[in-house]
PDB file of all heavy atoms in Angstrom:
ATOM      1  N   VAL A 188       2.547  -3.519  16.458  1.00 96.00           N
ATOM      2  CA  VAL A 188       2.187  -2.491  15.470  1.00 96.00           C
ATOM      3  C   VAL A 188       1.414  -3.109  14.307  1.00 96.00           C
ATOM      4  O   VAL A 188       0.418  -2.547  13.832  1.00 96.00           O
ATOM      5  CB  VAL A 188       3.442  -1.748  14.965  1.00 96.00           C
ATOM      6  CG1 VAL A 188       3.140  -0.973  13.690  1.00 96.00           C
ATOM      7  CG2 VAL A 188       3.960  -0.795  16.028  1.00 96.00           C
ATOM      8  N   GLY A 189       1.867  -4.276  13.838  1.00 95.00           N
ATOM      9  CA  GLY A 189       1.182  -4.926  12.726  1.00 95.00           C
ATOM     10  C   GLY A 189      -0.253  -5.293  13.066  1.00 95.00           C
ATOM     11  O   GLY A 189      -1.159  -5.115  12.248  1.00 95.00           O
ATOM     12  N   ARG A 190      -0.484  -5.798  14.267  1.00 96.00           N
ATOM     13  CA  ARG A 190      -1.842  -6.180  14.669  1.00 96.00           C
ATOM     14  C   ARG A 190      -2.722  -4.941  14.845  1.00 96.00           C
ATOM     15  O   ARG A 190      -3.910  -4.957  14.487  1.00 96.00           O
ATOM     16  CB  ARG A 190      -1.799  -7.000  15.962  1.00 96.00           C
ATOM     17  CG  ARG A 190      -1.148  -8.377  15.785  1.00 96.00           C
ATOM     18  CD  ARG A 190      -1.344  -9.262  16.994  1.00 96.00           C
ATOM     19  NE  ARG A 190      -0.620  -8.777  18.173  1.00 96.00           N
ATOM     20  CZ  ARG A 190       0.651  -9.048  18.439  1.00 96.00           C
ATOM     21  NH1 ARG A 190       1.362  -9.771  17.575  1.00 96.00           N
ATOM     22  NH2 ARG A 190       1.233  -8.606  19.526  1.00 96.00           N
ATOM     23  N   ARG A 191      -2.154  -3.875  15.399  1.00 96.00           N
ATOM     24  CA  ARG A 191      -2.938  -2.639  15.577  1.00 96.00           C
ATOM     25  C   ARG A 191      -3.305  -2.026  14.228  1.00 96.00           C
ATOM     26  O   ARG A 191      -4.435  -1.590  14.022  1.00 96.00           O
ATOM     27  CB  ARG A 191      -2.159  -1.647  16.426  1.00 96.00           C
ATOM     28  CG  ARG A 191      -2.006  -2.062  17.894  1.00 96.00           C
ATOM     29  CD  ARG A 191      -1.044  -1.136  18.628  1.00 96.00           C
ATOM     30  NE  ARG A 191      -1.464   0.249  18.533  1.00 96.00           N
ATOM     31  CZ  ARG A 191      -0.630   1.283  18.473  1.00 96.00           C
ATOM     32  NH1 ARG A 191       0.676   1.085  18.493  1.00 96.00           N
ATOM     33  NH2 ARG A 191      -1.099   2.508  18.396  1.00 96.00           N
ATOM     34  N   TYR A 192      -2.352  -2.021  13.305  1.00 96.00           N
ATOM     35  CA  TYR A 192      -2.660  -1.470  11.974  1.00 96.00           C
ATOM     36  C   TYR A 192      -3.658  -2.374  11.250  1.00 96.00           C
ATOM     37  O   TYR A 192      -4.557  -1.881  10.555  1.00 96.00           O
ATOM     38  CB  TYR A 192      -1.385  -1.313  11.151  1.00 96.00           C
ATOM     39  CG  TYR A 192      -1.643  -0.679   9.794  1.00 96.00           C
ATOM     40  CD1 TYR A 192      -1.759   0.701   9.664  1.00 96.00           C
ATOM     41  CD2 TYR A 192      -1.803  -1.468   8.653  1.00 96.00           C
ATOM     42  CE1 TYR A 192      -2.011   1.277   8.436  1.00 96.00           C
ATOM     43  CE2 TYR A 192      -2.060  -0.899   7.417  1.00 96.00           C
ATOM     44  CZ  TYR A 192      -2.166   0.474   7.314  1.00 96.00           C
ATOM     45  OH  TYR A 192      -2.421   1.050   6.097  1.00 96.00           O
ATOM     46  N   ALA A 193      -3.516  -3.684  11.413  1.00 94.00           N
ATOM     47  CA  ALA A 193      -4.449  -4.615  10.779  1.00 94.00           C
ATOM     48  C   ALA A 193      -5.871  -4.383  11.274  1.00 94.00           C
ATOM     49  O   ALA A 193      -6.829  -4.421  10.495  1.00 94.00           O
ATOM     50  CB  ALA A 193      -4.018  -6.050  11.048  1.00 94.00           C
ATOM     51  N   ALA A 194      -6.019  -4.143  12.576  1.00 94.00           N
ATOM     52  CA  ALA A 194      -7.356  -3.902  13.136  1.00 94.00           C
ATOM     53  C   ALA A 194      -7.967  -2.628  12.573  1.00 94.00           C
ATOM     54  O   ALA A 194      -9.174  -2.554  12.336  1.00 94.00           O
ATOM     55  CB  ALA A 194      -7.271  -3.828  14.656  1.00 94.00           C
ATOM     56  N   ALA A 195      -7.128  -1.597  12.354  1.00 95.00           N
ATOM     57  CA  ALA A 195      -7.639  -0.316  11.858  1.00 95.00           C
ATOM     58  C   ALA A 195      -7.866  -0.331  10.350  1.00 95.00           C
ATOM     59  O   ALA A 195      -8.776   0.330   9.849  1.00 95.00           O
ATOM     60  CB  ALA A 195      -6.665   0.804  12.221  1.00 95.00           C
ATOM     61  N   SER A 196      -7.031  -1.084   9.623  1.00 94.00           N
ATOM     62  CA  SER A 196      -7.092  -1.045   8.163  1.00 94.00           C
ATOM     63  C   SER A 196      -7.839  -2.220   7.553  1.00 94.00           C
ATOM     64  O   SER A 196      -8.296  -2.145   6.405  1.00 94.00           O
ATOM     65  CB  SER A 196      -5.669  -1.030   7.586  1.00 94.00           C
ATOM     66  OG  SER A 196      -5.022  -2.269   7.816  1.00 94.00           O
ATOM     67  N   GLY A 197      -7.931  -3.333   8.284  1.00 90.00           N
ATOM     68  CA  GLY A 197      -8.538  -4.537   7.743  1.00 90.00           C
ATOM     69  C   GLY A 197      -7.572  -5.445   7.025  1.00 90.00           C
ATOM     70  O   GLY A 197      -7.928  -6.553   6.635  1.00 90.00           O
ATOM     71  N   ASP A 198      -6.317  -5.015   6.843  1.00 89.00           N
ATOM     72  CA  ASP A 198      -5.315  -5.807   6.135  1.00 89.00           C
ATOM     73  C   ASP A 198      -4.660  -6.770   7.114  1.00 89.00           C
ATOM     74  O   ASP A 198      -3.684  -6.437   7.786  1.00 89.00           O
ATOM     75  CB  ASP A 198      -4.272  -4.890   5.493  1.00 89.00           C
ATOM     76  CG  ASP A 198      -3.239  -5.661   4.675  1.00 89.00           C
ATOM     77  OD1 ASP A 198      -3.296  -6.910   4.669  1.00 89.00           O
ATOM     78  OD2 ASP A 198      -2.377  -5.017   4.054  1.00 89.00           O
ATOM     79  N   ARG A 199      -5.190  -8.000   7.182  1.00 87.00           N
ATOM     80  CA  ARG A 199      -4.704  -8.994   8.140  1.00 87.00           C
ATOM     81  C   ARG A 199      -3.836 -10.055   7.474  1.00 87.00           C
ATOM     82  O   ARG A 199      -3.951 -11.239   7.750  1.00 87.00           O
ATOM     83  CB  ARG A 199      -5.891  -9.622   8.876  1.00 87.00           C
ATOM     84  CG  ARG A 199      -6.584  -8.650   9.826  1.00 87.00           C
ATOM     85  CD  ARG A 199      -7.733  -9.292  10.565  1.00 87.00           C
ATOM     86  NE  ARG A 199      -8.238  -8.445  11.633  1.00 87.00           N
ATOM     87  CZ  ARG A 199      -9.124  -7.471  11.455  1.00 87.00           C
ATOM     88  NH1 ARG A 199      -9.608  -7.231  10.237  1.00 87.00           N
ATOM     89  NH2 ARG A 199      -9.534  -6.733  12.478  1.00 87.00           N
ATOM     90  N   ASN A 200      -2.959  -9.622   6.615  1.00 85.00           N
ATOM     91  CA  ASN A 200      -1.980 -10.525   6.033  1.00 85.00           C
ATOM     92  C   ASN A 200      -1.162 -11.142   7.166  1.00 85.00           C
ATOM     93  O   ASN A 200      -0.641 -10.420   8.018  1.00 85.00           O
ATOM     94  CB  ASN A 200      -1.075  -9.739   5.080  1.00 85.00           C
ATOM     95  CG  ASN A 200      -0.132 -10.617   4.287  1.00 85.00           C
ATOM     96  OD1 ASN A 200       0.440 -11.576   4.807  1.00 85.00           O
ATOM     97  ND2 ASN A 200       0.050 -10.284   3.023  1.00 85.00           N
ATOM     98  N   PRO A 201      -1.024 -12.489   7.214  1.00 87.00           N
ATOM     99  CA  PRO A 201      -0.359 -13.127   8.360  1.00 87.00           C
ATOM    100  C   PRO A 201       1.096 -12.734   8.562  1.00 87.00           C
ATOM    101  O   PRO A 201       1.619 -12.892   9.668  1.00 87.00           O
ATOM    102  CB  PRO A 201      -0.495 -14.622   8.058  1.00 87.00           C
ATOM    103  CG  PRO A 201      -0.825 -14.723   6.611  1.00 87.00           C
ATOM    104  CD  PRO A 201      -1.594 -13.481   6.277  1.00 87.00           C
ATOM    105  N   ILE A 202       1.775 -12.216   7.546  1.00 89.00           N
ATOM    106  CA  ILE A 202       3.176 -11.822   7.728  1.00 89.00           C
ATOM    107  C   ILE A 202       3.305 -10.624   8.665  1.00 89.00           C
ATOM    108  O   ILE A 202       4.394 -10.345   9.167  1.00 89.00           O
ATOM    109  CB  ILE A 202       3.874 -11.501   6.387  1.00 89.00           C
ATOM    110  CG1 ILE A 202       3.214 -10.313   5.690  1.00 89.00           C
ATOM    111  CG2 ILE A 202       3.908 -12.719   5.492  1.00 89.00           C
ATOM    112  CD1 ILE A 202       3.930  -9.883   4.415  1.00 89.00           C
ATOM    113  N   HIS A 203       2.204  -9.927   8.926  1.00 92.00           N
ATOM    114  CA  HIS A 203       2.244  -8.733   9.770  1.00 92.00           C
ATOM    115  C   HIS A 203       1.770  -8.974  11.197  1.00 92.00           C
ATOM    116  O   HIS A 203       1.877  -8.076  12.034  1.00 92.00           O
ATOM    117  CB  HIS A 203       1.361  -7.632   9.161  1.00 92.00           C
ATOM    118  CG  HIS A 203       1.693  -7.280   7.757  1.00 92.00           C
ATOM    119  ND1 HIS A 203       2.937  -6.833   7.369  1.00 92.00           N
ATOM    120  CD2 HIS A 203       0.934  -7.297   6.631  1.00 92.00           C
ATOM    121  CE1 HIS A 203       2.932  -6.589   6.071  1.00 92.00           C
ATOM    122  NE2 HIS A 203       1.736  -6.869   5.599  1.00 92.00           N
ATOM    123  N   LEU A 204       1.254 -10.175  11.481  1.00 91.00           N
ATOM    124  CA  LEU A 204       0.503 -10.356  12.721  1.00 91.00           C
ATOM    125  C   LEU A 204       1.277 -11.011  13.853  1.00 91.00           C
ATOM    126  O   LEU A 204       1.104 -10.649  15.011  1.00 91.00           O
ATOM    127  CB  LEU A 204      -0.766 -11.167  12.436  1.00 91.00           C
ATOM    128  CG  LEU A 204      -1.706 -10.569  11.367  1.00 91.00           C
ATOM    129  CD1 LEU A 204      -2.937 -11.452  11.215  1.00 91.00           C
ATOM    130  CD2 LEU A 204      -2.084  -9.138  11.704  1.00 91.00           C
ATOM    131  N   HIS A 205       2.118 -11.993  13.535  1.00 92.00           N
ATOM    132  CA  HIS A 205       2.764 -12.770  14.593  1.00 92.00           C
ATOM    133  C   HIS A 205       4.035 -13.401  14.048  1.00 92.00           C
ATOM    134  O   HIS A 205       4.088 -13.769  12.868  1.00 92.00           O
ATOM    135  CB  HIS A 205       1.799 -13.850  15.102  1.00 92.00           C
ATOM    136  CG  HIS A 205       2.224 -14.502  16.376  1.00 92.00           C
ATOM    137  ND1 HIS A 205       3.122 -15.550  16.413  1.00 92.00           N
ATOM    138  CD2 HIS A 205       1.882 -14.244  17.663  1.00 92.00           C
ATOM    139  CE1 HIS A 205       3.317 -15.911  17.668  1.00 92.00           C
ATOM    140  NE2 HIS A 205       2.577 -15.146  18.454  1.00 92.00           N
TER     141      HIS A 205
END
Side-chain angles (χ1 to χ4, degrees):
V188 164
R190 292 191 292 275
R191 291 171 56 214
Y192 183 82
S196 69
D198 183 356
R199 291 181 170 84
N200 187 319
I202 63 175
H203 305 302
L204 303 182
H205 193 277

